[in-house]
């Protein structure tokens, strides 16, 4: 399968089924205790087994060791991987590496792909994406980017401080967003740079402690103190960084939805097992109306999330600009729906739900930040509303009748 091809339904179904079996038979028994990190040696052993099972790096280009699954075939496989909180790391489809692989494949030069993409797909290294900054720098508003890069002989000098750079501890390199001045061949704007994190002038840390731990390498500060990089380390064209960011962020938002929806399905299965087994007031929990309402609402959240993910993936392939806009809708809906499903599972499991005897409360910790990561729900709602109002305004200007007018 190639990244540009239409996914064959049978191929996707076969890979989904094999991934499902691998996660349940191999990965689930190897999960660490809730809240504990996955040891590197265990991850490496599981990755070797994933390669042997033919389920490793399903999204990555075949030329670099992946399975070449097209983007609109990712969701069923990513959801099966996400059924375990360590599944995405084992299959090498975890953020930020998965999004960086996609960006390098689309934008990188052949030399950059060999140097950075190939070892990333093989799982030899990890990476990070350095855009977010301490206040008043870039966060939900990337236009506030304060890290700068200035031209010097043979390259660029990067200066600035980044914050909440997921995966940076232990990563081999970062894709760094920096503001660059206008030049004869590039507009003023943002530029992406490929920067080894052991380069002179780069400092990783201090760490930022968060409530979740699925992303290896944490979310530390990363500082650039006059770090020198060559022209060969520019990813894409100077001044086009914000445009390339959309190449990465649209699919990356959606793959978060896919992975966490898989975890929500795990939580819902846990709640269903409890509802089938637990008896209260002379009835099984599943037969009590209040429990039925919780279970039904979770099914609704799961199905609507699955549907918007599937539609957005198809649109991203057909029209990336429209897909990027729809990914905001998917991200807001799924991040909130996934939390609701897991929260209901906690409620249905009662006291056990809030202990580490079950992993549900840790799942809540894992998914809660998703309503902030990759743009807060409030920021996306602002953008969604603006796009909707502007689109309708254009329709009216083109001749569509206004529907709100009242005749006296």
């Amino acid at each position: 399968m190639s990244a540009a091809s239409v996914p064959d339904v049978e191929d996707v179904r076969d890979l989904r089924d094999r991934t499902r079996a691998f996660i349940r038979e191999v990965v689930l028994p190897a999960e660490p205790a809730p809240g504990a990190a996955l040891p590197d040696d265990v991850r490496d052993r599981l990755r070797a087994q994933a390669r042997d099972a033919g389920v490793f790096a399903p999204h990555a280009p075949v030329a670099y060791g992946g399975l070449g699954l097209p983007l609109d075939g990712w969701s069923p496989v990513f959801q099966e991987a996400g059924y375990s909180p360590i599944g995405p790391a084992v299959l090498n489809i975890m953020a930020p590496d998965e999004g960086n692989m996609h960006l390098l494949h689309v934008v990188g030069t052949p030399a950059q792909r060999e140097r950075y993409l190939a070892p990333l797909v093989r799982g030899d290294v990890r990476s990070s994406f350095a855009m977010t900054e301490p206040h008043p720098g870039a966060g939900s508003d990337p236009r506030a980017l304060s890290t700068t890069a200035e031209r010097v002989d043979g390259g660029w000098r990067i200066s600035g401080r980044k914050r909440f750079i997921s995966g940076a501890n232990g990563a081999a390199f970062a894709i760094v967003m920096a503001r660059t001045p206008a030049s004869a061949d590039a507009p003023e704007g943002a530029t992406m740079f490929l920067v080894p994190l052991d380069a002179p002038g780069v400092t990783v840390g201090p760490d930022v402690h968060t409530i979740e731990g699925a992303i290896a390498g944490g979310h530390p500060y990363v500082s650039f103190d006059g770090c020198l990089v060559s022209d060969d380390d520019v990813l894409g064209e100077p001044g086009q960084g914000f445009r390339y960011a959309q190449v990465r962020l649209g699919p990356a938002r959606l793959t978060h939805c896919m992975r966490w929806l898989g975890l929500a399905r795990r939580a819902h299965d846990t709640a269903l097992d409890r509802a089938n087994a637990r008896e209260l007031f002379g009835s099984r929990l599943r037969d009590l109306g209040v429990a039925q309402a919780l279970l039904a609402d979770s099914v609704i959240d799961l199905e609507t999330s699955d549907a918007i993910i599937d539609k957005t993936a198809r649109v991203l392939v057909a029209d990336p600009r429209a897909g990027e806009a729809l990914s905001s809708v998917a991200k807001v809906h799924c991040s909130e729906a996934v939390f609701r499903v897991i929260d209901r599972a906690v409620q249905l499991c009662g006291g056990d739900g809030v202990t580490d005897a079950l992993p549900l409360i840790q799942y809540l910790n894992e998914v809660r930040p998703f309503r902030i990561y990759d743009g807060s729900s409030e920021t996306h709602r602002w953008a969604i509303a603006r796009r909707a109002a502007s689109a309708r305004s254009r329709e009216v200007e083109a001749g569509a009748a206004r529907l709100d007018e009242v005749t006296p």
Side-chain angles (χ1 to χ4, degrees), residues 49-396:
Q49 292 176 274
R51 291 187 188 93
D52 292 341
V55 297
F56 187 75
H59 64 302
V62 172
Y64 296 97
L67 302 181
L69 186 66
L71 192 155
D72 46 351
W74 291 0
S75 185
V77 177
F78 278 46
Q79 287 187 50
E80 292 296 346
Y83 198 79
S84 169
I86 65 171
V90 170
L91 267 61
N92 202 15
I93 59 170
M94 190 57 181
D97 292 337
E98 163 267 314
N100 289 345
M101 290 182 212
H102 178 70
L103 182 61
L104 282 162
H105 178 53
V106 174
V107 179
T109 65
Q112 288 170 341
R113 292 174 191 155
E114 286 298 329
R115 181 178 178 186
Y116 295 103
L117 177 58
L120 200 56
V121 173
R122 291 195 302 266
D124 296 341
V125 300
R126 290 191 294 99
S127 64
S128 59
F129 186 77
M131 183 171 72
T132 305
E133 298 171 337
H135 181 78
S140 293
D141 182 4
R143 294 170 300 179
L145 190 68
S146 62
T147 297
T148 60
E150 59 176 342
R151 280 197 179 275
V152 296
D153 289 343
W156 302 77
R157 178 184 290 112
I158 303 174
S159 299
R161 197 179 195 208
K162 301 291 186 176
R163 177 183 181 270
F164 222 91
I165 306 309
S166 300
N169 284 315
F173 68 93
I175 298 174
V176 180
M177 288 276 283
R179 186 170 295 282
T180 50
S183 65
D185 57 353
E188 179 183 4
T191 299
M192 288 185 173
F193 298 91
L194 290 159
V195 182
L197 289 182
D198 61 356
V202 179
T203 302
V204 178
D207 290 336
V208 176
H209 178 71
T210 64
I211 62 172
E212 41 70 62
I215 296 178
H219 311 278
Y221 286 80
V222 181
S223 299
F224 301 89
D225 185 12
C227 174
L228 296 174
V229 297
S230 73
D231 286 324
D232 292 338
D233 294 320
V234 175
L235 181 58
E237 300 176 8
Q240 299 299 318
F242 289 137
R243 178 164 66 89
Y244 299 139
Q246 299 313 310
V247 171
R248 183 187 188 280
L249 291 175
R253 291 182 194 127
L254 200 61
T255 52
H256 271 312
C257 297
M258 297 171 188
R259 290 183 293 259
W260 291 139
L261 187 57
L263 195 65
R265 293 189 188 282
R266 170 93 169 268
H268 184 57
D269 284 348
T270 304
L272 289 169
D273 288 345
R274 179 56 60 96
N276 282 328
R278 184 82 162 103
E279 290 192 5
L280 291 169
F281 310 112
S283 300
R284 285 185 299 176
L285 188 57
R286 59 172 286 176
D287 296 323
L288 298 177
V290 65
Q292 291 173 340
L294 293 172
L295 293 170
D297 284 346
S298 288
V299 171
I300 292 166
D301 275 336
L302 292 169
E303 292 298 330
T304 54
S305 296
D306 196 28
I308 189 62
I309 289 171
D310 186 55
K311 178 179 179 179
T312 304
R314 294 196 308 271
V315 176
L316 275 167
V317 171
D319 183 350
R321 185 176 179 85
E324 188 276 327
L326 190 57
S327 75
S328 287
V329 179
K331 195 268 184 186
V332 172
H333 178 79
C334 293
S335 65
E336 298 179 0
V338 160
F339 185 88
R340 290 192 297 265
V341 171
I342 299 175
D343 190 59
R344 293 187 196 107
V346 170
Q347 195 72 14
L348 284 160
C349 289
D352 289 337
V354 295
T355 72
D356 59 8
L358 294 174
L360 295 173
I361 203 67
Q362 179 60 34
Y363 293 174
L364 272 187
N365 287 343
E366 293 294 337
V367 304
R368 176 59 182 86
F370 184 30
R371 284 151 61 188
I372 297 171
Y373 295 173
D374 284 349
S376 67
S377 294
E378 292 73 21
T379 300
H380 283 293
R381 282 190 166 92
W382 167 76
I384 291 164
R386 287 189 63 190
R387 283 192 292 262
S390 296
R392 181 57 182 169
S393 179
R394 289 191 297 270
E395 290 176 355
V396 172

